[in-house]
Coordinates of all heavy atoms in Angstrom, one line a residue:
I1 N -7.2 -1.8 10.3 CA -7.6 -1.5 9.0 C -6.6 -0.3 8.5 O -6.3 0.6 9.2 CB -9.0 -0.8 9.1 CG1 -10.1 -1.9 9.4 CG2 -9.4 -0.3 7.7 CD1 -11.5 -1.5 9.3
L2 N -6.0 -0.7 7.3 CA -4.9 0.2 6.8 C -5.3 0.6 5.4 O -6.1 0.0 4.7 CB -3.6 -0.7 6.8 CG -3.2 -1.3 8.1 CD1 -2.0 -2.3 7.8 CD2 -2.7 -0.3 9.1
K3 N -4.6 1.6 4.9 CA -4.6 2.1 3.5 C -3.4 2.0 2.7 O -2.4 2.2 3.5 CB -5.2 3.5 3.5 CG -6.8 3.7 3.6 CD -7.1 5.1 3.3 CE -8.7 5.1 3.2 NZ -9.1 6.4 2.8
G4 N -3.5 1.7 1.5 CA -2.2 1.8 0.8 C -2.5 2.0 -0.8 O -3.7 1.8 -1.2
M5 N -1.5 2.2 -1.5 CA -1.6 2.3 -3.0 C -1.2 1.1 -3.7 O -0.1 0.4 -3.3 CB -0.6 3.5 -3.5 CG -0.8 3.8 -4.9 SD 0.3 4.9 -5.6 CE 0.0 6.3 -4.6
V6 N -1.9 0.7 -4.7 CA -1.7 -0.7 -5.4 C -0.5 -0.3 -6.3 O -0.5 0.6 -7.1 CB -2.9 -1.0 -6.3 CG1 -2.5 -2.3 -7.0 CG2 -4.0 -1.2 -5.4
I7 N 0.6 -1.1 -6.2 CA 1.7 -1.0 -7.2 C 1.9 -2.2 -8.1 O 2.6 -2.1 -9.1 CB 3.0 -0.7 -6.5 CG1 3.3 -1.8 -5.4 CG2 2.9 0.7 -5.7 CD1 4.7 -1.7 -4.9
S8 N 1.2 -3.4 -7.9 CA 1.3 -4.5 -8.7 C 0.2 -5.3 -8.5 O -0.3 -5.6 -7.4 CB 2.6 -5.4 -8.2 OG 2.7 -6.5 -8.9
T9 N -0.3 -5.8 -9.7 CA -1.5 -6.7 -9.8 C -1.2 -7.9 -10.6 O -2.1 -8.5 -11.3 CB -2.8 -6.1 -10.3 OG1 -2.3 -5.5 -11.7 CG2 -3.2 -4.9 -9.4
K10 N 0.1 -8.4 -10.6 CA 0.5 -9.5 -11.5 C 0.2 -10.8 -11.0 O 0.2 -11.8 -11.8 CB 2.1 -9.2 -11.7 CG 2.3 -8.0 -12.4 CD 4.0 -7.9 -12.5 CE 4.3 -6.5 -13.2 NZ 5.7 -6.2 -13.1
M11 N 0.1 -11.0 -9.7 CA -0.3 -12.3 -9.2 C -1.8 -12.6 -9.2 O -2.5 -11.7 -9.4 CB 0.1 -12.3 -7.6 CG 1.6 -12.5 -7.5 SD 2.1 -12.6 -5.8 CE 1.9 -10.9 -5.3
K12 N -2.1 -13.9 -9.1 CA -3.6 -14.3 -9.2 C -4.2 -14.1 -7.8 O -3.7 -14.7 -6.9 CB -3.7 -15.7 -9.6 CG -5.1 -16.2 -9.9 CD -5.1 -17.7 -10.3 CE -6.5 -18.1 -10.6 NZ -6.4 -19.6 -11.1
R13 N -5.1 -13.2 -7.8 CA -5.9 -12.9 -6.5 C -5.1 -12.3 -5.3 O -5.5 -12.4 -4.2 CB -6.7 -14.2 -6.0 CG -7.7 -14.6 -7.1 CD -8.6 -15.6 -6.5 NE -9.6 -16.1 -7.4 CZ -10.5 -17.0 -7.2 NH1 -10.5 -17.5 -6.1 NH2 -11.4 -17.3 -8.1
T14 N -3.9 -11.8 -5.7 CA -3.1 -11.2 -4.7 C -2.4 -9.9 -5.4 O -2.1 -10.0 -6.5 CB -1.9 -12.1 -4.2 OG1 -2.4 -13.3 -3.8 CG2 -1.0 -11.5 -3.2
I15 N -2.4 -8.8 -4.6 CA -1.8 -7.5 -5.0 C -0.8 -7.1 -4.0 O -0.9 -7.5 -2.8 CB -2.9 -6.5 -5.3 CG1 -3.7 -6.1 -3.9 CG2 -4.0 -7.0 -6.3 CD1 -4.5 -5.0 -4.0
I16 N 0.0 -6.2 -4.5 CA 1.1 -5.7 -3.6 C 0.7 -4.1 -3.4 O 0.5 -3.4 -4.4 CB 2.4 -5.7 -4.3 CG1 2.9 -7.2 -4.6 CG2 3.5 -5.1 -3.3 CD1 3.0 -8.0 -3.4
I17 N 0.6 -3.8 -2.2 CA 0.3 -2.4 -1.8 C 1.5 -1.7 -1.2 O 2.3 -2.4 -0.6 CB -1.0 -2.2 -1.0 CG1 -0.8 -2.7 0.4 CG2 -2.1 -2.7 -1.6 CD1 -1.9 -2.3 1.4
R18 N 1.6 -0.4 -1.4 CA 2.8 0.3 -0.9 C 2.1 1.4 0.1 O 1.2 2.1 -0.1 CB 3.5 1.1 -2.0 CG 4.6 2.0 -1.5 CD 5.2 2.7 -2.7 NE 6.1 3.7 -2.2 CZ 7.4 3.7 -2.6 NH1 7.8 2.8 -3.5 NH2 8.2 4.7 -2.3
R19 N 2.7 1.3 1.4 CA 2.3 2.2 2.5 C 3.4 3.3 2.7 O 4.5 2.8 3.0 CB 1.9 1.4 3.7 CG 0.8 0.4 3.4 CD 0.3 -0.2 4.8 NE -0.2 0.8 5.6 CZ 0.2 1.1 6.9 NH1 1.2 0.5 7.4 NH2 -0.4 2.2 7.6
N20 N 3.1 4.4 2.4 CA 4.0 5.6 2.7 C 3.8 6.1 4.0 O 2.7 6.3 4.5 CB 3.9 6.6 1.7 CG 4.2 6.2 0.3 OD1 5.2 5.4 0.0 ND2 3.4 6.5 -0.6
Y21 N 5.0 6.5 4.7 CA 4.8 7.2 6.0 C 6.1 8.1 6.3 O 7.1 8.0 5.5 CB 4.7 6.2 7.2 CG 5.8 5.2 7.3 CD1 6.9 5.4 8.2 CD2 5.8 3.9 6.6 CE1 7.9 4.5 8.3 CE2 6.7 3.0 6.7 CZ 7.8 3.2 7.5 OH 8.9 2.4 7.8
L22 N 6.1 9.0 7.2 CA 7.1 9.9 7.5 C 7.8 9.4 8.8 O 7.0 9.1 9.8 CB 6.7 11.3 7.7 CG 6.1 11.9 6.3 CD1 5.5 13.3 6.6 CD2 7.2 12.0 5.2
H23 N 9.1 9.4 8.9 CA 9.8 9.1 10.1 C 10.6 10.2 10.6 O 11.3 10.9 9.8 CB 10.7 7.9 9.8 CG 11.5 7.4 11.0 ND1 12.9 7.7 11.0 CD2 11.3 6.9 12.1 CE1 13.4 7.2 12.2 NE2 12.4 6.7 12.9
Y24 N 10.4 10.6 11.8 CA 11.0 11.8 12.4 C 12.5 11.5 12.8 O 12.7 10.5 13.5 CB 10.2 12.3 13.6 CG 10.7 13.5 14.3 CD1 10.6 14.7 13.6 CD2 11.3 13.6 15.5 CE1 11.1 16.0 14.1 CE2 11.9 14.7 16.1 CZ 11.8 16.0 15.4 OH 12.2 17.1 15.9
I25 N 13.4 12.4 12.5 CA 14.8 12.3 12.8 C 15.1 13.5 13.8 O 15.0 14.6 13.4 CB 15.7 12.4 11.7 CG1 15.4 11.5 10.5 CG2 17.1 12.3 12.1 CD1 15.5 10.0 10.9
K26 N 15.2 13.0 15.1 CA 15.3 14.0 16.2 C 16.6 15.0 16.0 O 16.5 16.2 16.2 CB 15.4 13.4 17.6 CG 15.1 14.4 18.6 CD 15.2 13.8 20.0 CE 14.9 12.3 20.2 NZ 15.1 11.9 21.6
K27 N 17.7 14.4 15.6 CA 19.0 15.1 15.4 C 18.8 16.3 14.4 O 19.3 17.5 14.7 CB 20.0 14.2 14.9 CG 21.4 14.8 14.8 CD 22.5 13.9 14.4 CE 23.8 14.6 14.0 NZ 24.8 13.7 13.5
F28 N 18.1 16.1 13.4 CA 18.1 17.1 12.3 C 16.7 17.8 12.4 O 16.5 18.7 11.5 CB 18.2 16.5 10.9 CG 19.6 15.8 10.8 CD1 19.7 14.5 10.7 CD2 20.7 16.6 10.8 CE1 20.9 13.9 10.5 CE2 22.1 16.0 10.6 CZ 22.1 14.7 10.5
N29 N 15.8 17.4 13.3 CA 14.5 18.2 13.4 C 13.6 18.2 12.2 O 13.1 19.1 11.8 CB 14.7 19.5 13.9 CG 13.5 20.1 14.5 OD1 12.6 19.4 14.9 ND2 13.3 21.4 14.6
R30 N 13.8 16.9 11.4 CA 13.0 16.8 10.1 C 12.5 15.4 10.0 O 12.8 14.6 10.8 CB 14.0 17.1 8.9 CG 14.4 18.5 8.8 CD 15.6 18.6 7.8 NE 15.8 20.0 7.4 CZ 16.3 21.0 8.2 NH1 16.7 20.8 9.4 NH2 16.5 22.2 7.8
F31 N 11.7 15.3 9.0 CA 11.2 14.0 8.7 C 11.8 13.4 7.4 O 12.2 14.2 6.5 CB 9.6 14.1 8.3 CG 8.8 14.5 9.6 CD1 8.6 15.8 9.8 CD2 8.3 13.5 10.4 CE1 7.9 16.2 11.0 CE2 7.5 13.9 11.5 CZ 7.3 15.2 11.9
E32 N 11.9 12.1 7.4 CA 12.4 11.4 6.1 C 11.1 10.5 5.6 O 10.4 10.0 6.4 CB 13.6 10.5 6.3 CG 13.4 9.3 7.2 CD 14.7 8.6 7.4 OE1 15.7 9.0 6.9 OE2 14.6 7.5 8.1
K33 N 11.1 10.3 4.3 CA 10.1 9.5 3.7 C 10.5 8.0 3.7 O 11.7 7.8 3.6 CB 9.9 9.8 2.2 CG 9.4 11.3 2.0 CD 9.4 11.5 0.5 CE 9.0 12.9 0.2 NZ 9.1 13.2 -1.3
R34 N 9.5 7.2 4.1 CA 9.8 5.8 4.2 C 8.6 5.0 3.6 O 7.5 5.7 3.5 CB 10.1 5.2 5.6 CG 11.4 5.7 6.1 CD 11.6 5.0 7.4 NE 13.0 5.3 8.0 CZ 13.5 4.8 9.1 NH1 12.8 3.9 9.8 NH2 14.7 5.2 9.5
H35 N 8.8 3.8 3.2 CA 7.6 3.1 2.8 C 7.9 1.5 3.0 O 8.9 1.1 3.4 CB 7.5 3.2 1.2 CG 8.4 2.3 0.4 ND1 9.7 2.7 0.2 CD2 8.2 1.1 -0.1 CE1 10.2 1.8 -0.6 NE2 9.4 0.7 -0.7
S36 N 6.7 0.8 3.0 CA 6.7 -0.7 3.2 C 5.8 -1.3 2.2 O 4.6 -0.6 2.0 CB 6.4 -1.0 4.7 OG 5.2 -0.5 5.0
N37 N 6.1 -2.4 1.6 CA 5.3 -3.0 0.7 C 4.5 -4.2 1.5 O 5.0 -4.8 2.4 CB 6.0 -3.6 -0.4 CG 6.6 -2.6 -1.4 OD1 6.1 -1.5 -1.4 ND2 7.4 -2.8 -2.2
M38 N 3.3 -4.6 1.1 CA 2.5 -5.5 1.7 C 1.8 -6.3 0.7 O 1.2 -5.8 -0.2 CB 1.5 -4.8 2.7 CG 0.7 -5.6 3.6 SD -0.4 -4.5 4.5 CE 0.7 -3.8 5.6
A39 N 1.8 -7.7 0.9 CA 1.0 -8.6 0.0 C -0.4 -8.7 0.6 O -0.6 -8.9 1.7 CB 1.7 -9.9 -0.2
V40 N -1.4 -8.6 -0.3 CA -2.8 -8.4 0.2 C -3.7 -9.3 -0.7 O -3.5 -9.3 -2.0 CB -3.3 -7.1 0.1 CG1 -4.8 -7.0 0.5 CG2 -2.6 -6.2 0.9
H41 N -4.6 -10.1 -0.2 CA -5.4 -11.0 -0.9 C -6.5 -10.1 -1.5 O -7.1 -9.3 -0.9 CB -6.0 -12.1 -0.1 CG -7.1 -13.0 -0.8 ND1 -6.7 -13.8 -1.7 CD2 -8.4 -12.9 -0.9 CE1 -7.8 -14.4 -2.3 NE2 -8.9 -13.8 -1.8
C42 N -6.9 -10.2 -2.8 CA -7.9 -9.5 -3.5 C -9.0 -10.4 -4.1 O -8.7 -11.2 -4.9 CB -7.3 -8.7 -4.6 SG -8.5 -7.6 -5.4
S43 N -10.1 -10.3 -3.6 CA -11.2 -11.1 -3.9 C -11.5 -10.8 -5.4 O -11.4 -9.7 -5.9 CB -12.5 -10.8 -3.2 OG -13.5 -11.5 -3.6
P44 N -12.0 -11.8 -6.3 CA -12.3 -11.5 -7.6 C -13.4 -10.4 -7.9 O -13.5 -10.0 -9.0 CB -12.7 -12.8 -8.2 CG -12.5 -14.0 -7.1 CD -12.3 -13.2 -5.9
C45 N -14.2 -10.2 -6.8 CA -15.2 -9.1 -7.1 C -14.6 -7.7 -7.1 O -15.2 -6.8 -7.8 CB -16.3 -9.1 -6.0 SG -15.6 -8.8 -4.4
F46 N -13.3 -7.4 -6.7 CA -12.7 -6.2 -6.8 C -11.7 -6.3 -8.0 O -11.1 -7.4 -8.3 CB -11.7 -6.0 -5.6 CG -12.5 -5.8 -4.3 CD1 -12.4 -6.6 -3.3 CD2 -13.4 -4.6 -4.2 CE1 -13.3 -6.5 -2.1 CE2 -14.1 -4.4 -3.0 CZ -14.0 -5.3 -2.0
E47 N -11.6 -5.2 -8.8 CA -10.7 -5.2 -9.8 C -9.8 -4.0 -9.7 O -10.0 -2.9 -10.5 CB -11.5 -5.2 -11.2 CG -12.0 -6.5 -11.5 CD -12.8 -6.5 -12.8 OE1 -12.7 -5.6 -13.5 OE2 -13.3 -7.7 -13.2
P48 N -8.8 -4.0 -8.9 CA -8.0 -2.6 -8.7 C -6.9 -2.6 -9.8 O -6.5 -3.5 -10.3 CB -7.3 -2.9 -7.3 CG -7.3 -4.4 -7.1 CD -8.5 -4.8 -7.8
K49 N -6.7 -1.4 -10.1 CA -5.6 -1.0 -11.1 C -4.4 -0.5 -10.3 O -4.6 0.1 -9.3 CB -6.1 -0.1 -12.1 CG -7.4 -0.6 -12.9 CD -7.0 -1.5 -14.0 CE -8.3 -1.8 -14.9 NZ -9.1 -2.9 -14.2
E50 N -3.3 -0.4 -11.0 CA -2.1 0.2 -10.4 C -2.4 1.8 -10.2 O -2.9 2.4 -10.9 CB -0.9 0.1 -11.2 CG -0.5 -1.3 -11.2 CD 1.0 -1.5 -11.9 OE1 1.6 -0.4 -12.2 OE2 1.4 -2.5 -12.2
G51 N -2.2 2.3 -8.9 CA -2.4 3.6 -8.6 C -3.6 3.8 -7.7 O -3.8 4.9 -7.2
D52 N -4.4 2.8 -7.7 CA -5.7 2.9 -7.1 C -5.4 2.8 -5.4 O -4.3 2.2 -5.0 CB -6.6 1.7 -7.3 CG -7.3 1.9 -8.6 OD1 -7.1 2.9 -9.1 OD2 -8.0 1.0 -9.0
I53 N -6.2 3.5 -4.6 CA -6.0 3.4 -3.2 C -7.0 2.4 -2.5 O -8.1 2.3 -2.9 CB -6.4 4.8 -2.5 CG1 -5.5 5.9 -3.1 CG2 -6.2 4.8 -1.0 CD1 -4.1 5.8 -3.0
V54 N -6.4 1.4 -1.8 CA -7.2 0.3 -1.3 C -7.2 0.4 0.3 O -6.3 0.8 0.9 CB -6.7 -1.1 -1.8 CG1 -7.0 -1.2 -3.3 CG2 -5.3 -1.3 -1.4
T55 N -8.3 0.0 0.9 CA -8.4 -0.2 2.3 C -8.5 -1.7 2.5 O -9.2 -2.5 1.9 CB -9.8 0.3 2.8 OG1 -9.9 1.7 2.4 CG2 -9.9 0.3 4.3
V56 N -7.5 -2.1 3.5 CA -7.3 -3.5 3.8 C -7.6 -3.8 5.2 O -7.3 -2.9 6.1 CB -5.9 -4.0 3.3 CG1 -5.8 -3.8 1.9 CG2 -4.8 -3.3 4.2
G57 N -8.0 -5.0 5.6 CA -8.2 -5.4 7.0 C -7.4 -6.7 7.2 O -7.4 -7.6 6.3
Q58 N -7.2 -6.9 8.4 CA -6.4 -8.1 8.9 C -7.2 -9.4 8.8 O -8.5 -9.2 9.2 CB -5.6 -8.0 10.2 CG -4.6 -8.9 10.5 CD -3.9 -8.5 11.8 OE1 -4.3 -7.6 12.5 NE2 -2.8 -9.2 11.9
C59 N -6.8 -10.5 8.5 CA -7.5 -11.8 8.6 C -6.4 -12.9 9.0 O -5.3 -12.6 9.3 CB -8.1 -12.0 7.1 SG -6.9 -12.3 5.9
R60 N -7.0 -14.0 8.9 CA -6.0 -15.2 9.3 C -5.0 -15.3 8.1 O -5.2 -14.8 7.0 CB -6.8 -16.5 9.3 CG -7.4 -17.0 8.0 CD -8.1 -18.3 8.2 NE -8.8 -18.7 6.9 CZ -8.1 -19.4 6.0 NH1 -6.9 -19.8 6.2 NH2 -8.7 -19.8 4.9
P61 N -3.8 -16.0 8.5 CA -2.7 -16.2 7.4 C -3.3 -16.9 6.2 O -3.8 -18.1 6.4 CB -1.6 -16.9 8.1 CG -1.9 -16.6 9.6 CD -3.3 -16.4 9.8
L62 N -3.2 -16.5 5.0 CA -3.7 -17.1 3.8 C -2.4 -17.8 3.1 O -2.6 -18.8 2.4 CB -4.3 -16.2 2.9 CG -5.6 -15.5 3.4 CD1 -6.1 -14.4 2.5 CD2 -6.7 -16.6 3.8
S63 N -1.3 -17.3 3.3 CA -0.1 -17.9 2.8 C 1.1 -17.3 3.7 O 0.8 -16.8 4.7 CB 0.1 -17.5 1.3 OG 0.5 -16.1 1.2
K64 N 2.3 -17.7 3.1 CA 3.5 -17.2 3.9 C 3.5 -15.7 4.1 O 3.9 -15.2 5.3 CB 4.7 -17.6 3.1 CG 6.1 -17.2 3.8 CD 7.2 -17.7 2.9 CE 8.5 -17.1 3.6 NZ 9.7 -17.4 2.7
T65 N 3.1 -14.8 3.2 CA 3.3 -13.4 3.3 C 1.9 -12.7 3.3 O 1.9 -11.5 3.7 CB 3.9 -12.8 2.1 OG1 3.3 -13.2 0.9 CG2 5.4 -13.3 2.0
V66 N 0.8 -13.3 3.0 CA -0.5 -12.7 2.9 C -1.3 -12.8 4.2 O -1.5 -13.8 4.7 CB -1.3 -13.3 1.8 CG1 -2.8 -12.6 1.7 CG2 -0.7 -13.1 0.4
R67 N -1.6 -11.6 4.8 CA -2.3 -11.6 6.1 C -3.4 -10.6 6.1 O -4.0 -10.3 7.2 CB -1.3 -11.2 7.3 CG 0.0 -12.0 7.4 CD -0.4 -13.3 8.1 NE 0.9 -14.1 8.4 CZ 1.4 -14.9 7.7 NH1 1.0 -15.1 6.5 NH2 2.5 -15.6 8.1
F68 N -3.6 -9.9 4.8 CA -4.6 -8.9 4.8 C -5.6 -9.2 3.6 O -5.2 -9.8 2.6 CB -4.0 -7.5 4.7 CG -3.4 -7.1 6.0 CD1 -2.1 -7.4 6.3 CD2 -4.1 -6.2 6.8 CE1 -1.5 -7.0 7.5 CE2 -3.5 -5.7 8.0 CZ -2.2 -6.1 8.3
N69 N -6.8 -8.6 3.7 CA -7.9 -8.7 2.7 C -8.2 -7.3 2.2 O -8.3 -6.5 3.0 CB -9.0 -9.3 3.2 CG -9.2 -10.8 2.8 OD1 -8.6 -11.4 1.9 ND2 -9.9 -11.6 3.7
V70 N -8.5 -7.2 0.9 CA -9.0 -5.9 0.4 C -10.5 -5.8 0.9 O -11.3 -6.6 0.6 CB -8.9 -5.8 -1.1 CG1 -9.6 -4.7 -1.7 CG2 -7.4 -5.9 -1.6
L71 N -10.8 -4.6 1.3 CA -12.2 -4.3 1.8 C -12.8 -3.3 0.9 O -14.0 -3.3 0.8 CB -12.2 -3.7 3.3 CG -11.5 -4.6 4.3 CD1 -11.6 -3.8 5.7 CD2 -12.3 -5.8 4.5
K72 N -12.1 -2.4 0.4 CA -12.6 -1.2 -0.5 C -11.5 -0.8 -1.5 O -10.4 -0.7 -1.1 CB -13.0 -0.1 0.5 CG -13.8 1.1 -0.1 CD -14.4 1.9 0.9 CE -14.0 3.4 0.6 NZ -14.4 4.3 1.6
V73 N -12.0 -0.4 -2.6 CA -11.1 0.2 -3.7 C -11.6 1.5 -4.0 O -12.7 1.7 -4.4 CB -11.0 -0.8 -5.0 CG1 -10.2 -0.1 -6.0 CG2 -10.6 -2.1 -4.6
E74 N -10.6 2.5 -4.0 CA -11.1 3.9 -4.4 C -10.2 4.1 -5.6 O -9.0 4.0 -5.6 CB -10.6 4.9 -3.3 CG -11.3 4.6 -2.0 CD -10.8 5.5 -0.9 OE1 -10.1 6.4 -1.1 OE2 -11.1 5.1 0.3
K75 N -10.9 4.5 -6.8 CA -10.2 4.8 -8.1 C -9.4 6.0 -7.9 O -9.9 7.0 -7.3 CB -11.3 4.9 -9.1 CG -12.0 3.7 -9.4 CD -11.1 2.6 -9.9 CE -11.9 1.3 -10.1 NZ -11.1 0.1 -10.0
N76 N -8.2 6.0 -8.4 CA -7.3 7.2 -8.2 C -6.6 7.5 -9.6 O -6.2 6.5 -10.1 CB -6.3 7.0 -7.1 CG -5.6 8.2 -6.6 OD1 -6.1 9.3 -7.0 ND2 -4.7 8.1 -5.8
Q77 N -6.5 8.7 -9.9 CA -5.8 9.1 -11.2 C -4.4 9.5 -10.8 O -4.1 10.7 -10.6 CB -6.6 10.2 -11.8 CG -8.0 10.1 -12.1 CD -8.2 8.7 -13.0 OE1 -7.5 8.5 -13.9 NE2 -9.2 8.0 -12.7
I78 N -3.4 8.6 -10.9 CA -2.0 8.9 -10.8 C -1.4 8.9 -12.2 O -1.5 7.9 -12.9 CB -1.3 7.8 -9.9 CG1 -2.0 7.8 -8.5 CG2 0.1 8.0 -9.8 CD1 -1.5 8.7 -7.5
F79 N -0.7 10.0 -12.4 CA -0.1 10.1 -13.7 C 1.3 9.6 -13.6 O 2.0 10.1 -12.6 CB -0.1 11.6 -14.3 CG -1.5 12.0 -14.5 CD1 -2.1 12.8 -13.7 CD2 -2.3 11.5 -15.6 CE1 -3.5 13.3 -13.8 CE2 -3.6 11.9 -15.8 CZ -4.2 12.9 -15.0
G80 N 1.8 8.8 -14.4 CA 3.2 8.3 -14.4 C 3.2 7.0 -13.5 O 2.3 6.3 -13.3
N81 N 4.5 6.8 -13.0 CA 4.7 5.5 -12.3 C 4.2 5.6 -10.8 O 4.7 6.5 -10.0 CB 6.3 5.2 -12.2 CG 6.6 3.9 -11.6 OD1 5.6 3.1 -11.2 ND2 7.8 3.5 -11.8
P82 N 3.3 4.7 -10.3 CA 2.7 4.8 -9.0 C 3.8 4.5 -8.0 O 3.6 5.0 -6.8 CB 1.6 3.8 -9.0 CG 1.7 2.9 -10.3 CD 2.6 3.7 -11.2
R83 N 4.8 3.9 -8.3 CA 5.9 3.6 -7.3 C 6.6 4.9 -6.9 O 7.1 5.0 -5.7 CB 6.9 2.6 -7.8 CG 6.3 1.2 -8.1 CD 7.4 0.3 -8.7 NE 6.7 -0.8 -9.2 CZ 6.9 -2.1 -8.5 NH1 7.5 -2.2 -7.4 NH2 6.3 -3.2 -9.1
K84 N 6.6 5.8 -7.7 CA 7.5 7.0 -7.4 C 6.7 8.0 -6.8 O 7.3 9.1 -6.3 CB 8.1 7.6 -8.7 CG 9.0 6.8 -9.5 CD 10.3 6.5 -8.7 CE 11.3 5.7 -9.6 NZ 12.5 5.4 -8.8
V85 N 5.4 8.0 -6.6 CA 4.5 9.0 -6.0 C 4.5 8.8 -4.6 O 4.1 7.6 -4.0 CB 3.1 8.9 -6.7 CG1 2.3 10.0 -5.9 CG2 3.2 9.2 -8.1
F86 N 4.7 9.8 -3.8 CA 4.7 9.7 -2.3 C 3.4 10.4 -1.9 O 3.3 11.6 -1.9 CB 5.9 10.3 -1.6 CG 5.9 10.1 -0.2 CD1 6.5 9.0 0.4 CD2 5.4 11.0 0.7 CE1 6.6 8.7 1.7 CE2 5.4 10.8 2.1 CZ 6.1 9.7 2.7
M87 N 2.4 9.7 -1.3 CA 1.2 10.2 -0.9 C 0.8 9.7 0.5 O 1.0 8.5 0.7 CB 0.0 9.8 -1.9 CG 0.0 10.6 -3.0 SD -1.3 10.0 -4.1 CE -2.7 9.8 -3.1
L88 N 0.4 10.6 1.4 CA -0.1 10.1 2.7 C -1.5 10.0 2.7 O -2.2 10.9 2.1 CB 0.4 11.1 3.8 CG 1.9 11.1 4.0 CD1 2.2 12.2 5.1 CD2 2.5 9.8 4.6
F89 N -2.1 9.1 3.3 CA -3.5 8.8 3.3 C -4.3 9.2 4.6 O -3.7 8.9 5.6 CB -3.9 7.3 3.0 CG -3.1 6.8 1.8 CD1 -2.0 5.8 2.1 CD2 -3.3 7.2 0.5 CE1 -1.4 5.4 1.1 CE2 -2.7 6.8 -0.5 CZ -1.5 5.8 -0.2

């Protein structure tokens, strides 16, 4: 079970979520920001908007890239472009 922020809802019944994380660099003793995008199946009963936080769970492969289902949507007030906001969940 994973969490991520919705960044695109343009496909039919599929959304793209962005998962942010920090990667440690031992040489500089610091963290760098990284992210990964994930295609997720969204049932018609959910209506997520860009910037919402969704909880997803793994399921059987639904297509070439879709391996997860939306389980829960948390409304979130993100001002501006949700792609540019770095939030850890």
Side-chain angles (χ1 to χ4, degrees):
I1 294 180
L2 307 170
K3 277 190 169 187
M5 183 188 305
V6 178
I7 58 169
S8 174
T9 57
K10 296 174 184 173
M11 290 181 276
K12 186 177 181 182
R13 297 192 181 177
T14 304
I15 61 174
I16 302 295
I17 66 168
R18 178 181 172 121
R19 300 192 61 238
N20 296 318
Y21 58 95
L22 296 173
H23 179 249
Y24 183 69
I25 308 295
K26 196 186 326 185
K27 178 180 177 181
F28 299 111
N29 196 25
R30 285 170 169 72
F31 292 93
E32 68 179 4
K33 296 175 185 174
R34 290 190 176 183
H35 80 275
S36 59
N37 289 343
M38 186 184 291
V40 178
H41 178 75
C42 185
S43 177
C45 65
F46 295 113
E47 291 183 0
K49 305 279 188 277
E50 289 189 12
D52 289 351
I53 305 299
V54 294
T55 304
V56 299
Q58 195 168 12
C59 64
R60 67 181 178 85
L62 300 174
S63 71
K64 179 182 172 184
T65 57
V66 177
R67 304 283 189 272
F68 288 85
N69 262 331
V70 172
L71 302 176
K72 184 171 135 186
V73 177
E74 301 168 20
K75 299 295 178 199
N76 200 7
Q77 304 301 325
I78 298 278
F79 299 106
N81 189 354
R83 291 175 194 259
K84 297 292 184 184
V85 178
F86 188 89
M87 285 177 42
L88 293 174
F89 311 110

